[in-house]
Amino acid sequence: MDTIQGFFTDDHRECDHRLADVETVVAAGDWPASAEAYGQFHHDIERHFQREEDLLFPAIEEVSGSSQGPTEVMRREHDQMRALLEGLEQALQRQERDEALGVIETLMTMIQLHNVKEEQILYPMADRFLQPRREPLMERVRSLEP
Amino acid sequence: MMHLARLSLDRTPPLWVPLQFMATAPLFAVAFAALLAVEGPDALLSRWTPAMLAATHLLVLGYITMVMFGAMQQLLPVVAGSPVPRERLTSRLIHLGLALGTPLLAAGLAWSIPPALATGGLCVLGAMGLFIVTTSISLWRSPARGPTHTALWLAVAALAVTVTLGAWLALGHLPGLPLPRSMTQLHLAWGLAGWIALLIAGVAYQVVPMFQMTPEYPARFARFHAPGVFILLALVTAGGFLPGVPGIALQTLAAAGLVAALAGFAFITLRLQARRRRRNADVTVAFWRTGLLALPLALSLWGLSALPFTPGIQGPAALIPAWLFLAGFTLSIINGMLYKIVPFLVWLHLNHRLMQSGRWDAPVPNMHQVIPIRHTRLQWWFHLTALAAGTAALLWPPLLYPALLAFALSNTLLSANLWQGIGVFRRDGIRQD
Ligand code: HEM
């Protein structure tokens, strides 16, 4: 049985690796491969965002009785990352290598700091508070596709 | 349930809180170079020359501890989820105490000026005390657990020991008071292997896998490294108080253990970095590698010179391990980290401003636009040159002046790069208001 912590942490690592793959091909100036790698990364990270925004966060908000707490901050950070993704996509279309690498660096840092907060603080708490209803929730999380 | 709703994950302190420390620090390297240039090659004749003691503290307090304090002000609220109490006020006071106290303390040591030594010492001690108390409160309250959390606790405890011994030694430099020289060795062991090396290790467990995308540190290593180093330091200390052969034996064994533990940290981290997923050549990784190679080099030279059957190194060359530890290991890693922290914080705060003013579409410069990667790389070359020249000057003192010039230039360039980043915030932040 998956814990929230275990599943979402693994999901983070996979998205991280996808982004590292984008960086490698962009650095090599391989534009067709970049477009493909970016497509894969974008799909995975958007799925991760939706797993949280549509399923996990509402469940947390329900037990905590508030949508103003940590989940709101996490949603806001997702939006910041989406803005960076858009910048990256444009840089890739224009084949601007340096700009793309600069955006990737920024996005990578933003993602990592966001992940730390979720993995060290939010997920462990979610596992504690959502224990009784975790199985059906995770069932839906696993099958979500954007 | 209340607990969950109240939990705040958005506690980034104002930009100037960490940056005041980071922007001041490299200037102390310039002060270090200036002091040694004024005093000339005679200052290198032994570790006990007043100029050398003063220069050492310009680096360890004014530069290294300064950056570490700034990093903690940022790290604790963001990564440990627990802000420093009254962060604006405490960070101002800590920064002020350290920035004013360090040069006074150094002047007092270098030229035997008791009033400067006493005033500087008090300012520095006040800053240290305030840091230790507020950081302990923050760590105590933090919900985070794990190797990093433990290492940060132990680093702060080691700092407390270092500072207590330092205060005692400083009293000995005032007229009429005895100088407890037997404590110097313990003071520097707690400062270098405790405060500096444990803090770097604690931060490394977190940031190396995260930003360089390496495998995690082996769990058992991460769990036992910092407590092990701390216990070994305690044993070295105990050995210093035991009389006769048992004391010396204990101290020797524990010191050997320390060397092994610190070298182990360097090798494990280098191995992880060799397996990193991000293959893109990154200047920060280059800085880390430089530091992690300099550490075992410093340790083995020091170990060799301490062996009973070697002649021992005389004169300036005896300072090479200390130079490699401070400038080679510590400054390289700090320098590299500054190039991650400062551009990211500038980006983050610009982004916040935009969001507050509801302007989602305005372009925010990315991290490489905040500090151009070309300038970062150039400064890395200066840093390497300064490191090599510094080592060469300890072998052949006529090189002292060019080496000091290289070191001052490298850090002036670092300062300029950081200020350029801060300038981007000023310019774009104001334009977008
Ligand atoms: C926070 C980190 C600190 C570190 C890493 C550190 C490091 C060192 C080192 C490496 C030495 C030995 C120099 C040598 O052998 O040539 C030393 C000596 C000394 N330290 Fe510190 N120090 C720290 C803080 C302080 C503070 C806060 C004070 C005083 C307020 C202080 C006062 C002294 C004095 C007076 C000596 C000279 C002792 C003697 O003459 O034998 N130190 N320190």
Side-chain angles (χ1 to χ4, degrees):
Chain A
M1 195 183 78
D2 282 331
T3 56
I4 292 171
Q5 165 93 330
F7 180 86
F8 279 95
T9 302
D10 288 348
D11 210 22
H12 279 163
R13 290 300 86 76
E14 285 185 17
C15 292
D16 292 347
H17 290 167
R18 295 283 93 79
L19 182 53
D21 295 344
V22 179
E23 185 176 51
T24 307
V25 281
V26 170
D30 185 344
W31 298 111
S34 302
E36 191 176 325
Y38 174 79
Q40 184 68 46
F41 166 66
H42 185 246
H43 166 270
D44 286 10
I45 198 163
E46 188 54 45
R47 181 176 60 190
H48 178 79
F49 289 161
Q50 291 184 18
R51 281 171 165 162
E52 294 186 337
E53 291 170 359
D54 298 348
L55 299 168
L56 179 66
F57 293 171
I60 293 176
E61 285 156 5
E62 216 178 296
V63 290
S64 71
S66 160
S67 59
Q68 299 295 294
T71 50
E72 192 217 345
V73 179
M74 295 297 102
R75 287 178 199 274
R76 197 169 350 118
E77 292 188 355
H78 287 174
D79 287 340
Q80 284 176 318
M81 291 185 250
R82 286 189 173 105
L84 282 169
L85 280 168
E86 208 163 289
L88 176 55
E89 198 167 332
Q90 285 167 13
L92 291 178
Q93 274 162 9
R94 282 185 274 115
Q95 309 200 341
E96 299 261 15
R97 180 172 170 278
D98 289 348
E99 192 183 335
L101 289 177
V103 179
I104 290 172
E105 172 76 3
T106 314
L107 183 57
M108 192 80 90
T109 312
M110 169 93 221
I111 290 177
Q112 296 307 326
L113 288 171
H114 172 80
N115 289 356
V116 172
K117 298 182 205 175
E118 292 189 334
E119 290 168 22
Q120 301 212 337
I121 301 171
L122 193 69
Y123 298 156
M125 289 209 168
D127 268 318
R128 271 214 331 270
F129 290 112
L130 298 175
Q131 175 96 50
R133 43 200 288 202
R134 194 163 68 195
E135 228 358 70
L137 174 69
M138 291 311 289
E139 194 71 47
R140 293 172 60 205
V141 164
R142 272 190 293 270
S143 57
L144 182 142
E145 270 301 322
Chain B
M1 299 293 137
M2 271 306 293
H3 202 48
L4 194 53
R6 244 191 9 230
L7 175 73
S8 168
L9 295 182
D10 186 23
R11 280 174 165 154
T12 302
L15 185 60
W16 60 263
V17 167
L19 281 197
Q20 61 188 336
F21 294 94
M22 296 171 180
T24 331
L27 301 176
F28 278 91
V30 180
F32 167 92
L35 174 62
L36 287 181
V38 169
E39 295 292 315
D42 281 355
L44 306 181
L45 284 179
S46 102
R47 41 182 285 205
W48 306 112
T49 64
M52 190 45 73
L53 291 178
T56 305
H57 288 84
L58 285 176
L59 275 194
V60 296
L61 297 175
Y63 195 145
I64 296 170
T65 300
M66 182 78 88
V67 175
M68 288 176 161
F69 280 6
M72 289 286 267
Q73 301 272 335
Q74 181 66 31
L75 208 67
L76 288 169
V78 174
V79 176
S82 175
V84 178
R86 317 274 309 265
E87 62 191 1
R88 291 159 191 258
L89 182 63
T90 49
S91 80
R92 266 273 189 261
L93 289 175
I94 292 172
H95 178 255
L96 212 65
L98 203 54
L100 294 179
T102 304
L104 279 175
L105 178 69
L109 282 171
W111 300 303
S112 300
I113 314 171
L117 181 65
T119 325
L122 282 177
C123 288
V124 170
L125 290 178
M128 298 277 167
L130 190 57
F131 172 82
I132 292 168
V133 170
T134 49
T135 306
S136 302
I137 295 176
S138 162
L139 283 169
W140 182 260
R141 288 184 185 155
S142 160
R145 287 293 169 270
T148 294
H149 190 75
T150 310
L152 296 186
W153 259 124
L154 296 174
V156 172
L159 177 65
V161 178
T162 310
V163 168
T164 310
L165 293 173
W168 192 8
L169 289 165
L171 282 178
H173 279 257
L174 289 175
L177 291 165
L179 176 60
R181 266 269 145 89
S182 58
M183 292 298 129
T184 308
Q185 210 68 345
L186 296 178
H187 166 70
L188 77 91
W190 283 98
L192 305 180
W195 164 238
I196 293 178
L198 284 183
L199 194 73
I200 289 184
V203 171
Y205 304 152
Q206 186 95 48
V207 305
V208 167
M210 189 159 116
F211 291 125
Q212 300 169 14
M213 247 166 242
T214 69
E216 292 288 331
Y217 278 85
R220 217 167 316 144
F221 175 81
R223 192 129 140 248
F224 294 117
H225 174 69
V229 167
F230 198 86
I231 291 170
L232 287 166
L233 280 169
L235 290 177
V236 167
T237 311
F241 287 95
L242 270 182
V245 177
I248 295 178
L250 180 60
Q251 218 166 19
T252 311
L253 282 177
L258 272 179
V259 167
L262 297 190
F265 165 74
F267 286 124
I268 288 185
T269 310
L270 281 169
R271 264 218 6 225
L272 292 179
Q273 287 178 343
R275 293 164 59 202
R276 71 188 200 283
R277 178 94 182 195
R278 281 183 88 176
R279 302 308 313 179
N280 193 24
D282 177 326
V283 192
T284 300
V285 177
F287 273 112
W288 269 91
R289 289 205 159 145
T290 311
L292 292 168
L293 289 171
L295 176 59
L297 201 58
L299 292 167
S300 35
L301 287 179
W302 177 80
L304 276 180
S305 70
L307 285 180
F309 44 80
T310 52
I313 310 172
Q314 299 302 321
L319 295 170
I320 291 178
W323 170 251
L324 288 177
F325 186 95
L326 291 175
F329 165 59
T330 314
L331 291 190
S332 299
I333 288 178
I334 286 183
N335 197 324
M337 291 297 292
L338 285 172
Y339 283 133
K340 290 271 174 223
I341 302 173
V342 172
F344 181 72
L345 289 179
V346 166
W347 176 84
L348 185 72
H349 285 270
L350 275 177
N351 215 34
H352 271 296
R353 286 217 171 169
L354 277 183
M355 290 210 305
Q356 274 164 5
S357 57
R359 306 227 353 240
W360 286 88
D361 50 335
V364 181
N366 68 50
M367 282 168 69
H368 290 175
Q369 289 162 336
V370 174
I371 301 180
I373 206 95
R374 284 195 318 286
H375 300 183
T376 316
R377 198 160 285 135
L378 180 68
Q379 196 250 319
W380 182 62
W381 283 110
F382 272 87
H383 175 70
L384 282 187
T385 309
L387 263 187
T391 313
L394 291 171
L395 291 168
W396 194 54
L399 274 178
L400 177 67
Y401 294 101
L404 291 175
L405 185 64
F407 190 59
L409 278 178
S410 167
N411 284 285
T412 307
L413 193 54
L414 171 59
S415 253
N417 285 346
L418 299 180
W419 281 103
Q420 133 127 21
I422 296 168
V424 168
F425 178 75
R426 293 226 173 107
R427 195 188 64 219
D428 288 22
I430 290 166
R431 199 181 61 207
Q432 280 155 5
D433 265 346

